[in-house]
Amino acid sequence: DTEVTQTPKHLVMGMTNKKSLKCEQHMGHRAMYWYKQKAKKPPELMFVYSYEKLSINESVPSRFSPECPNSSLLNLHLHALQPEDSALYLCASSSRDRAVSTDTQYFGPGTRLTVL
Amino acid sequence: AQKITQTQPGMFVQEKEAVTLDCTYDTSDPSYGLFWYKQPSSGEMIFLIYQGSYDQQNATEGRYSLNFQKARKSANLVISASQLGDSAMYFCAMREGRANAGKSTFGDGTTLTVKP
């Protein structure tokens, strides 16, 4: 089973709202990722958690705050977003039990975020 | 310099025919992995196939095969017997062994349309 789940599927929020995106995997993977994807563009890496510790932050604005409460769960807390933050947010996970170059990422279905 | 290049923004193929999607890459790392993902309009990134830099044989997964030409630094995806459900955006991605550990580099994608 290579399933990564994400909730909600769609989210509309105002610029003053606080909301959270949730990602879950039960494959025993030890690395989890957040990506942002604009229409017709490749995904852009935001954050990487490896063994529940933040290992990569791609200079993401502080209005995005990731959290990894346990090895199966990854959250992305959103606060004071801008309309240009509207995008598809994808979560992914990978096993990390082999070399990085062979480590396949499995993606969730994404959350389509609209910021008004 | 772009590390992954997909030169075909859009491709058309007749149903039941084979199609090749091009991908060239650039790395000085001897250890790397190449991945292809399919992204339908629903948004989910679906892992299709993986090729390791040390693999002697071209990877195959059902109707998908990877034409790996290491000297030319190309990793083209071949889809045989195209189906209407193959219409989607396809991304080529690379993970390097030493450089940029934890990050995947994606190409700009190719939109494939299968005609009935």
Side-chain angles (χ1 to χ4, degrees), chain B residues 33-82:
Chain B
L34 296 157
F35 303 81
W36 277 93
Y37 290 89
K38 170 185 178 182
Q39 189 174 40
S41 55
S42 59
E44 183 173 4
M45 293 276 280
I46 302 165
F47 166 68
L48 295 178
I49 196 166
Y50 159 80
Q51 180 84 45
S53 58
Y54 296 118
D55 292 344
Q56 297 295 313
Q57 308 248 1
N58 285 343
T60 61
E61 286 288 348
R63 293 187 299 112
Y64 304 108
S65 60
L66 205 151
N67 184 358
F68 181 46
Q69 298 190 44
K70 197 169 180 177
R72 293 186 178 184
K73 293 191 174 178
S74 76
N76 299 338
L77 177 71
V78 180
I79 305 174
S80 63
S82 297

